[in-house]
Amino acid sequence: MSTTERPRILVVGGGYVGLYAARRILKKMRYGEATVTVVDPRSYMTYQPFLPEAAAGSISPRHVVVPLRRVLPGAEVLTGRVTSIDQDRKVARVEPLVGEAYEVPFDYLVVALGAVSRTFPVPGLAEVGIGMKGVEEAIGLRNHVLEQLDKAESTTDPDIRRKALTFVFVGGGFAGAETIGEVEDLARDAAKYYPSISRDDMRFVLVDAADKILPEVGPELGKWGLRHLQQRGIEVYLGTSLESCVDGHVVLKNGLEVDSNTLVWTAGVKPNPVLKEYGLPLGPRGHVDTTPTLQVQGMDGVWAAGDNAQVPDLAVGEGAWCPPNAQHALRQAKVLGDNVVSEMRGFPQREYKHKNKGAVAGLGLHKGVAMINLGKMKLKLKGRLAWYMHRGYHGMAVPTFNRKIRVLADWTLAMFLKREVVSLGAIESPRDEFYEAAAPVTAAAQAKSAEPAPAAQAKEPAKAS
């Protein structure tokens, strides 16, 4: 029995699935039928396929994110983390950004936490690695790369210069291949404004433990993507892994050693580990185990979808699971939203079934690969045409009409204006300059206040006795 006046639908996570599921529920349910509560540590959803372009400066970072409160005006949005769930009492423990934790009761639960970077116990990785799961990381990577060019231009030390101009990327899937392609484009363009730096002075290295890159687009296009990156001067090492990167000294399992200030980690993702605290049945890799209707196995009123769920892929057959990509997440969210409303009204659930329509990847400006499923045929594209396909698909898929227009405007302006190559690294620590100015004054004032007060002097000379 809920403690609220009307049933509460608790959506844990405001990412792709959380946002679209909440929108679908709000659209389908009647006014006042239920309260929709969305909890996420961030007040916005990030469209992750655009992160490489944001890192390269092709898209404004603000246009890659969607504010939850703006697009979910009928929902209650809480900025915090759900750290645990009591399934018997039907309450979730929420830790807000500030203040004490509190409990939120619910009648229906949607688990849409997504995934986090999959890391390994590599010495030095936590200290020097840069991820690519959030817009903050994309902005940080862009600023960092341009700062390395600034360092190389301003030093005469060849070792410092070489380390600054060496860029290592670990992971050859979509995120890794797209990011290194975009960042190499950015660095190549930026080098035009540095008299002592050329593309030949830079070293880009891509590492993957598998024997191929871009497995999502198939072996033929993957090989083309590999040749394309190599033709651009990018070193690709397959069948090897990162052994250590302490203080930027990168050591690969194949014996290669390089010094680099830049290590970008895109070696896959894993379900959010906090799922273990939710009392849900989990699969062998930590995903929430669901039925084809997206309901959690053996639980009523609980659903899961997206990267944190293992959803049976009915279009492929028994034993197959839906891959963790935006194509499935969007469609799963809509079915999930419909099923939540159906459950409230006592109607049967609908199974999720979607045949993969293909995959697209951008490898920098005017470069990409695309595989489109057309029934029994597969259309394979590469180069500029595939790049147009990549932009067209994701331009349509990015949430809200507002963001579609803004992204299109960014792309249109980029056709006529040169790429911005300014670094705003100071934005990551905006108070440093003020602190440097204020700290000496504050310290002097504190020292002065700590001095003992001078002895009071007599106002009149002492009288002789």
Side-chain angles (χ1 to χ4, degrees), residues 131-150:
M132 275 296 286
K133 286 291 293 176
V135 68
E136 304 88 352
E137 293 170 319
I139 298 171
L141 176 59
R142 171 181 167 78
N143 290 331
H144 175 82
V145 169
L146 295 176
E147 282 180 355
Q148 301 314 303
L149 300 185
D150 291 338

Side-chain angles (χ1 to χ4, degrees), residues 32 121 132 150 190 229 262 321-322 374 408 424 435 441 451:
M132 275 296 286
D150 291 338
L229 293 179
T262 308
W321 309 102
C322 295
L374 301 173
L408 181 61
L424 296 176
Y435 178 79
V441 178
E451 293 177 0

Side-chain angles (χ1 to χ4, degrees), residues 174-232:
F174 269 170
E178 288 187 317
T179 302
I180 197 171
E182 293 285 356
V183 171
E184 193 271 343
D185 259 2
L186 167 67
R188 184 188 294 271
D189 284 350
K192 299 173 184 176
Y193 304 98
Y194 294 82
S196 70
I197 300 176
S198 69
R199 174 61 182 87
D200 293 336
D201 298 317
M202 304 178 203
R203 186 178 185 183
F204 283 84
V205 178
L206 178 63
V207 182
D208 198 287
D211 60 355
K212 57 186 174 182
I213 68 169
L214 295 170
E216 300 90 345
V217 296
E220 181 181 338
L221 292 177
K223 290 178 181 178
W224 183 91
L226 173 62
R227 291 194 301 270
H228 170 78
L229 293 179
Q230 290 173 330
Q231 289 168 0
R232 289 165 62 178

Side-chain angles (χ1 to χ4, degrees), residues 203 205-210 235-241 252 254 256:
R203 186 178 185 183
V205 178
L206 178 63
V207 182
D208 198 287
E235 301 173 36
V236 182
Y237 297 96
L238 302 178
T240 189
S241 57
L252 302 185
N254 64 0
L256 179 70

Side-chain angles (χ1 to χ4, degrees), residues 176-371:
E178 288 187 317
T179 302
I180 197 171
E182 293 285 356
V183 171
E184 193 271 343
D185 259 2
L186 167 67
R188 184 188 294 271
D189 284 350
K192 299 173 184 176
Y193 304 98
Y194 294 82
S196 70
I197 300 176
S198 69
R199 174 61 182 87
D200 293 336
D201 298 317
M202 304 178 203
R203 186 178 185 183
F204 283 84
V205 178
L206 178 63
V207 182
D208 198 287
D211 60 355
K212 57 186 174 182
I213 68 169
L214 295 170
E216 300 90 345
V217 296
E220 181 181 338
L221 292 177
K223 290 178 181 178
W224 183 91
L226 173 62
R227 291 194 301 270
H228 170 78
L229 293 179
Q230 290 173 330
Q231 289 168 0
R232 289 165 62 178
I234 297 173
E235 301 173 36
V236 182
Y237 297 96
L238 302 178
T240 189
S241 57
L242 179 67
E243 285 205 334
S244 74
C245 52
V246 177
D247 296 329
H249 183 67
V250 177
V251 180
L252 302 185
K253 195 173 183 179
N254 64 0
L256 179 70
E257 296 187 26
V258 298
D259 288 320
S260 172
N261 288 337
T262 308
L263 178 76
V264 182
W265 182 269
T266 59
V269 296
K270 63 180 180 181
N272 197 312
V274 78
L275 290 171
K276 298 175 183 177
E277 309 299 325
Y278 286 5
L280 303 172
L282 303 180
R285 295 181 297 165
H287 299 79
V288 181
D289 191 14
T290 73
T291 67
T293 62
L294 305 174
Q295 285 182 298
V296 176
Q297 288 281 5
M299 305 186 76
D300 295 328
V302 184
W303 295 262
D307 292 358
N308 68 181
Q310 56 176 31
V311 179
D313 194 342
L314 300 182
V316 175
E318 187 176 353
W321 309 102
C322 295
N325 56 36
Q327 183 181 154
H328 279 288
L330 169 61
R331 290 165 175 82
Q332 288 173 4
K334 293 180 178 179
V335 173
L336 189 155
D338 290 344
N339 285 347
V340 171
V341 176
S342 296
E343 176 78 4
M344 286 195 300
R345 298 174 182 173
F347 297 137
Q349 305 279 291
R350 179 161 65 97
E351 291 186 341
Y352 172 75
K353 183 178 181 179
H354 169 69
K355 187 174 182 180
N356 188 10
K357 295 186 178 298
V360 292
L363 299 175
L365 197 61
H366 303 149
K367 302 171 279 285
V369 291
M371 181 184 68

